[in-house]
Amino acid sequence: MSETKKEKTEGQLKQDKLFYKKKNYFEEASESERKEMFDYAEGYKTFLDAGKTERESCEVTIKMVEEKGYTEYHFGDKLSVGDKKYFVNRGKSVAIFKIGNKDLESDGIRLIASHIDAPRIDLKQVPLYEDSKMCFLKTHYYGGIKKYQWTAIPLAIHGSVVLLDGTKVDISVGENPNDPVFCINDLLPHLGREQMQQPSTKLIEAEQLNVLVGGVPYADKDVKDSVKLNVLNILNQKYGMNEEDFLSSELCVVPAFPAKDVGFDRAYVGAYGHDDRVCAYPALTALLDSESEHTVMALLVDKEEIGSEGTTGMQCKIYEDLMEEIAVSFGANFRKVRHASRCLSADVTAGFDPSFASVYEKTNAAIISCGTCMNKFTGSGGKSSSSDASAEFVGEVRTAFAKENVVWQMAELGKVDIGGGGTIAKYIAKLNIDTVDLGVPVLSMHAPYEVISKADLYSNYKAFLAFYKYDR
Ligand code: MN
Ligand code: MN
């Protein structure tokens, strides 16, 4: 016997037409599109594993774009229509752009701006010490982390050391299967009674985030700090450095595990550093795949996690300079170019987690697998510090997404007055460029192991393609 399908009532039909309903992208996608989602995630995982710091993400990006025929741009270079260029800022941020055939003054630049730094633990400048015949590295954490999450997990060390003679040595230990790893120790529960009474911010304090790096003494019984000496001797043989060279180093401690599928059905990707490579990778790949006639640019910047400061953060003039260089190259009025430009600030948002439902207001929360998520505004209580995109611009982007059947959703971070967060959107909006936030919802954001949905990742890519393409 076959089931008879009930026809929709008049009210139900009207509801379909009038209600806003988020759609699960896995459910919406055809079989072939679902396959595309899973295939796309494979490339993303490779990108994640190849770049665990902004320096490495920058490097892997350059490799990817050079393979597609992009060449390096320097200030002052003459540009022509059809040029495919990348611009590197101090090895830590990169802009990839393609010159379209539209008039710059009336069409502007179509910009997608993401960041490639992620919360982690940096080494102090004088990090090495020995205690109780163990050798450790002292650290200063980078970005907003829950410190207790970084203990008792395998860690890798990535970064660069500049020696006194100016040579730069790159270091990456802990990623290859034969590499050793490092770790930050925690207290055993048997002696943790007092510790466990502490508020979680004090469970592990910043000065306890010390990384275990050695235990074999140097073979000379007359030496004090013989374990430290042995570690330095290894570093000296491998990298030509001595202890003073740490002064001019940037060494980052990051989780040592690779990106992996999560779930029996492999719906998710678990990895370190989704925030914000889960937007950087689609910004980049959509630009490479785009056949847009606009001048398009993907920005992969640094320092977002500590306030977009410094010469590689979004507040640095260099990104504005680059856009101005493009304008100048075509004799365009830069004020007009900025006014005509459009930007997606591509950053992650919090995915609704039913285990922590109380901090979300579900009607306005980002639901996992319902597509990439627009935040009209970010900030905290009272929309403080948010650039708050206009209804007109949100409308423009909505229409563009609808034309390309992008499955996406609108949300805000959590309940009003419960917390908040910002992105680089406001720094771009300040340039008189209409900007709105769009990015993938993340579970366990800023943890050593974050989780995203493959549906949301692919939706992000499709949304970016639509954004690079649409005509106003
Ligand atoms: Mn972010
Ligand atoms: Mn972040």
Side-chain angles (χ1 to χ4, degrees), residues 115 119 275 304-305 347-348 445-446:
H115 68 91
D275 177 8
E304 193 278 339
E305 295 296 354
D347 206 345
V348 298
M445 195 200 292
H446 283 204

Side-chain angles (χ1 to χ4, degrees), residues 149-398:
Q149 291 179 332
W150 293 71
T151 63
I153 57 168
L155 298 167
I157 297 178
H158 294 237
S160 304
V161 182
V162 177
L163 309 182
L164 200 56
D165 67 2
T167 321
K168 193 177 83 176
V169 187
D170 292 329
I171 294 179
S172 170
V173 183
E175 301 296 344
N176 292 323
N178 291 326
D179 279 2
V181 293
F182 310 95
C183 62
I184 295 167
N185 299 320
D186 198 353
L187 187 58
L188 64 165
H190 316 65
L191 298 178
R193 204 175 293 162
E194 256 178 47
Q195 181 200 31
M196 298 300 277
Q197 303 306 316
Q198 303 297 314
S200 64
T201 49
K202 301 228 164 196
L203 274 179
I204 293 290
E205 304 215 48
E207 295 294 351
Q208 290 176 315
L209 292 174
N210 301 316
V211 184
L212 181 63
V213 294
V216 178
Y218 189 80
D220 179 343
K221 288 200 170 126
D222 294 327
V223 174
K224 223 182 130 234
D225 286 347
S226 56
V227 176
K228 174 175 162 180
L229 178 61
N230 196 41
V231 166
L232 270 172
N233 195 41
I234 293 169
L235 294 179
N236 184 257
Q237 284 170 356
K238 244 184 131 175
Y239 308 111
M241 65 181 286
N242 58 29
E243 190 178 10
E244 197 179 314
D245 291 319
F246 278 115
L247 300 182
S248 47
S249 73
E250 284 181 338
L251 292 167
C252 315
V253 179
V254 296
F257 26 74
K260 283 244 183 193
D261 290 347
V262 172
F264 288 117
D265 56 5
R266 299 176 178 270
Y268 309 104
V269 176
Y272 162 69
H274 283 311
D275 177 8
D276 184 35
R277 292 163 196 136
V278 74
C279 295
Y281 181 75
L284 172 64
T285 50
L287 187 136
L288 295 179
D289 296 343
S290 170
E291 282 163 13
S292 171
E293 298 193 336
H294 307 286
T295 292
V296 290
M297 182 183 284
L299 265 182
L300 280 61
V301 301
D302 180 31
K303 295 276 185 281
E304 193 278 339
E305 295 296 354
I306 58 167
S308 298
E309 308 284 351
T311 49
T312 51
M314 193 64 226
Q315 295 197 66
C316 178
K317 281 270 178 207
I318 195 165
Y319 308 106
E320 187 184 342
D321 285 348
L322 175 63
M323 288 184 255
E324 185 164 4
E325 285 282 288
I326 296 173
V328 167
S329 199
F330 291 93
N333 178 329
F334 185 44
R335 293 189 187 112
K336 284 189 176 177
V337 175
R338 281 188 283 129
H339 191 63
S341 293
R342 298 288 187 267
C343 176
L344 289 182
S345 161
D347 206 345
V348 298
T349 190
F352 176 81
D353 187 334
S355 302
F356 301 96
S358 67
V359 300
Y360 297 93
E361 183 270 288
K362 207 170 176 184
T363 316
N364 285 281
I367 308 298
I368 292 293
S369 300
C370 287
T372 187
C373 179
M374 184 183 288
N375 287 274
K376 182 175 175 293
F377 53 87
T378 59
S380 52
K383 298 191 178 183
S384 174
S385 289
S386 167
S387 54
D388 199 3
S390 70
E392 288 84 347
F393 181 48
V394 171
E396 190 179 302
V397 176
R398 244 184 89 195

